[in-house]
Amino acid sequence: QVQLSESGGGSVQPGGTLKLSCAVSGITIGSNYMAWFRQAPGKEREGVAVIDETGITFYHGSVKDRFTISRDNAKNTLYLQMNSLKPDDTAMYYCAADTRKRTTSVALTGIGGYWLYSYWGQGTQVTVSS
């Protein structure tokens, strides 16, 4: 019954901006680790950003200071604001939920591997090119 649905992807030029959304049902996002992953052709799925139950965030080094993960608990929706996009950001972007009960913040754990996340959306494509 848990469903995650991404939207907001598209094609932009380098330096452009996109905001991705992930509408979630079946779980309360404010009670779970919520993350964005991405996967480009021929590459492994890569953690982009995560927000834990307390609102602490962690970012992959390649997107830090450019991307912002956030949530709207009232709407049960996760967001990824992406600024200053680069061609290397081109990938399918997925939102994911880790429902494990834990107290350690993501400042210490990082995003973690994709295998730790139980629920996934279908993905939304982001393409950055001239």
Side-chain angles (χ1 to χ4, degrees):
Q1 293 182 346
V2 177
Q3 295 183 356
L4 289 71
S5 183
E6 304 95 334
S7 61
S11 297
V12 298
Q13 295 183 340
T17 297
L18 286 173
K19 187 173 183 177
L20 308 183
S21 299
C22 177
V24 179
S25 62
I27 59 171
T28 300
I29 65 171
S31 300
N32 297 282
Y33 276 47
M34 299 297 301
W36 289 95
F37 284 77
R38 65 187 182 187
Q39 188 166 23
K43 292 188 175 182
E44 191 172 86
R45 202 175 311 167
E46 177 183 65
V48 175
V50 63
I51 183 168
D52 72 10
E53 298 96 324
T54 69
I56 304 299
T57 59
F58 186 91
Y59 297 90
H60 191 278
S62 65
V63 308
K64 191 173 183 179
D65 300 324
R66 298 190 297 118
F67 292 10
T68 302
I69 187 171
S70 63
R71 65 188 181 214
D72 185 330
N73 290 340
K75 296 180 179 179
N76 213 41
T77 299
L78 183 74
Y79 302 99
L80 185 67
Q81 178 68 48
M82 304 187 294
N83 300 327
S84 302
L85 283 161
K86 304 175 180 179
D88 285 349
D89 296 319
T90 296
M92 185 73 73
Y93 283 71
Y94 301 89
C95 62
D98 178 0
T99 60
R100 294 177 298 165
K101 307 302 181 183
R102 50 190 171 180
T103 58
T104 305
S105 77
V106 296
L108 297 176
T109 65
I111 301 169
Y114 64 86
W115 54 89
L116 299 176
Y117 291 80
S118 300
Y119 301 104
W120 296 84
Q122 80 286 352
T124 186
Q125 179 68 39
V126 172
T127 301
V128 185
S129 66
S130 299

